Amino acid sequence: NCRGAGFSDSESEADANAGFLGEEEEDHLFFMARELKYHLQLTSAIVGMARQTDLCRCNYVIGRWDHGESSVDSMGRLCTEISWWLTDEAANGSYDASYENWEMLLAVWDHLLCFHLEDLTDAGFDHDVARRFLDRCLQFRVGDPARVKQLLDPLIHVVAL
């Protein structure tokens, strides 16, 4: 079940239409970028915790981004790349890479939920954080919908202790 979130190897649809986006699409991409900033803050804190503890000692490739480093280092790198994009391009009104950046964050969540959900739960992780992110992925059509639903399933059926 932990094979990745179904990322495409092609550029995002938004990138293919760069420079030809209608006003409605630009508003949608702006909203995606704004939402991404919120989700990145929450996810970065979890990745930081994983880095400072023994939560993740894996050496799996995160999504389609193989940096030849540990999983926690790759997750940290992806969060940093997203942060740079938000600070540089998105802050200057260029939202064309919104989908790709959402896919990067989805890859981080895919790894965390697939391999470390039990540890996160034991550490007091609020499953609503991941649920809200994955719900947005479905709404924005980020990642493979079947895979996103597969990641959501154990979160929906978690019983609070």
Side-chain angles (χ1 to χ4, degrees):
N1 285 345
C2 296
R3 297 178 316 179
F7 303 99
S8 64
D9 288 329
S10 63
E11 294 296 317
S12 71
E13 291 176 28
D15 288 339
N17 295 319
F20 302 101
L21 300 175
E23 188 173 318
E24 186 175 311
E25 180 69 8
E26 286 179 6
D27 290 344
H28 176 71
L29 294 175
F30 168 77
F31 181 69
M32 286 182 74
R34 190 179 74 191
E35 285 282 307
L36 182 64
K37 183 177 181 179
Y38 164 75
H39 290 290
L40 177 64
Q41 290 171 339
L42 298 172
T43 308
S44 292
I46 295 166
V47 171
M49 179 195 68
R51 184 183 303 282
Q52 298 299 320
T53 65
D54 63 353
L55 177 77
C56 179
R57 297 290 181 232
C58 303
N59 285 304
Y60 298 116
V61 172
I62 305 299
R64 61 182 164 104
W65 294 273
D66 185 359
H67 295 110
E69 55 197 359
S70 70
S71 297
V72 75
D73 287 341
S74 288
M75 289 187 293
R77 177 187 298 268
L78 290 173
C79 288
T80 298
E81 288 178 16
I82 295 166
S83 179
W84 288 339
W85 176 78
L86 286 167
T87 302
D88 295 338
E89 292 182 40
N92 291 316
S94 177
Y95 309 114
D96 295 343
S98 291
Y99 282 97
E100 181 169 349
N101 282 280
W102 269 85
E103 283 190 346
M104 287 192 288
L105 202 58
L106 177 56
V108 171
W109 275 113
D110 187 288
H111 178 83
L112 289 171
L113 296 174
C114 191
F115 294 104
H116 305 296
L117 180 57
E118 186 175 330
D119 295 324
L120 288 169
T121 301
D122 291 347
F125 170 66
D126 181 358
H127 294 94
D128 285 340
V129 171
R131 265 188 235 143
R132 283 189 298 270
F133 175 76
L134 295 170
D135 284 341
R136 285 294 196 203
C137 286
L138 290 172
Q139 178 185 357
F140 294 147
R141 293 182 171 96
V142 172
D144 174 41
R147 178 61 182 162
V148 174
K149 289 175 184 175
Q150 185 180 30
L151 292 170
L152 262 170
D153 190 54
L155 300 174
I156 293 168
H157 298 99
V158 170
V159 177
L161 299 176

